[in-house]
Amino acid sequence: DQQVKQNSPSLSVQEGRISILNCDYTNSMFDYFLWYKKYPAEGPTFLISISSIKDKNEDGRFTVFLNKSAKHLSLHIVPSQPGDSAVYFCAATNAGKSTFGDGTTLTVKP
Amino acid sequence: GAGVSQSPRYKVTKRGQDVALRCDPISGHVSLYWYRQALGQGPEFLTYFNYEAQQDKSGLPNDRFSAERPEGSISTLTIQRTEQRDSAMYRCASSIRWGTQYFGPGTRLTVL
């Protein structure tokens, strides 16, 4: 029973276009949501987060949207750059405990 | 400043042996987390500490797994009587408190 799901294992986007990564969750008790980025042979690094009381958070080229009624969040990257190519993990937290999705591999083609 | 460090980076052991994996968090970080990550999957929660107190160990698979953080800084994850199914990447993360988690590079454990 996976509480956080990233249904697209991979995504390929042209440089300059928008990348949209999606994440669905089932536990309504989650109070904080985060996106992490991971390069090969490295640990995940924090990218952007959003509290459950908000519906949007923006940081430069990265925007996270939260739809609580649909239990869905998404990460928008615009414009996408080749250096954005990595695995992106969605995570949700409740009382300090984090649950991660299985990741989406983003490839940005020059 | 220094990030989260883990040692060893790679560990190969024989089935039945005990292993101890070490995590050195970012200085001043209150919370410390242990995860296990299988290939192609996201990190799977094992346990976490605030200071030296273990707050949640619900993710530890069985009683062969234990963790401690006796002085509220360095933590050790111990796996006793290792089995082949224990082979995975073990990741540690630390945070100020329930905040953004900063991950270490992980320890790749292989049980033969």
Side-chain angles (χ1 to χ4, degrees):
Chain A
D1 177 27
Q2 211 169 0
Q3 295 189 50
V4 177
K5 284 187 179 180
Q6 294 177 256
N7 290 316
S8 297
S10 63
L11 175 68
S12 182
V13 171
Q14 204 67 34
E15 181 179 7
R17 299 292 186 101
I18 185 171
S19 296
I20 300 177
L21 296 97
N22 294 301
C23 180
D24 296 296
Y25 63 95
T26 57
N27 187 348
S28 59
M29 298 299 292
F30 288 137
D31 53 13
Y32 211 70
F33 302 89
L34 308 96
W35 284 94
Y36 288 82
K37 177 179 178 179
K38 183 187 174 305
Y39 292 117
E42 295 182 9
T45 56
F46 170 74
L47 191 57
I48 192 169
S49 63
I50 188 167
S51 164
S52 61
I53 62 172
K54 295 189 174 182
D55 55 19
K56 178 182 175 181
N57 187 27
E58 190 172 352
D59 183 3
R61 296 186 297 113
F62 303 91
T63 303
V64 56
F65 295 92
L66 176 63
N67 182 335
K68 285 186 67 178
S69 60
K71 294 191 175 66
H72 177 84
L73 74 157
S74 60
L75 173 67
H76 292 211
I77 306 173
V78 54
S80 302
Q81 300 173 354
D84 296 329
S85 298
V87 179
Y88 289 79
F89 290 102
C90 163
T93 69
N94 174 36
K97 179 177 174 180
S98 290
T99 303
F100 283 76
D102 285 340
T104 296
T105 301
L106 173 65
T107 302
V108 181
K109 298 180 178 178
Chain B
V4 177
S5 61
Q6 292 185 245
S7 61
R9 293 291 308 276
Y10 302 90
K11 177 70 177 178
V12 180
T13 190
K14 292 184 178 179
R15 187 179 54 182
Q17 297 294 305
D18 298 350
V19 294
L21 311 181
R22 173 184 165 129
C23 173
D24 202 338
I26 293 173
S27 178
H29 276 195
V30 168
S31 301
L32 184 147
Y33 309 80
W34 281 101
Y35 295 89
R36 180 169 66 176
Q37 186 172 12
L39 198 62
Q41 296 183 11
E44 175 194 8
F45 172 83
L46 295 178
T47 184
Y48 90 97
F49 296 81
N50 283 339
Y51 300 103
E52 73 281 0
Q54 192 170 20
Q55 300 293 319
D56 185 334
K57 57 180 181 179
S58 62
L60 295 176
N62 51 60
D63 60 8
R64 296 187 296 106
F65 288 72
S66 63
E68 62 175 10
R69 194 187 185 197
E71 297 178 2
S73 179
I74 293 168
S75 177
T76 303
L77 176 70
T78 302
I79 309 173
Q80 296 178 312
R81 304 180 303 282
T82 52
E83 301 177 4
Q84 285 186 328
R85 59 178 171 155
D86 300 333
S87 297
M89 177 71 82
Y90 289 83
R91 297 198 185 275
C92 172
S94 70
S95 68
I96 294 173
R97 190 181 178 105
W98 285 11
T100 301
Q101 295 180 27
Y102 295 85
F103 281 82
T107 295
R108 170 74 66 187
L109 175 65
T110 302
V111 182
L112 302 177

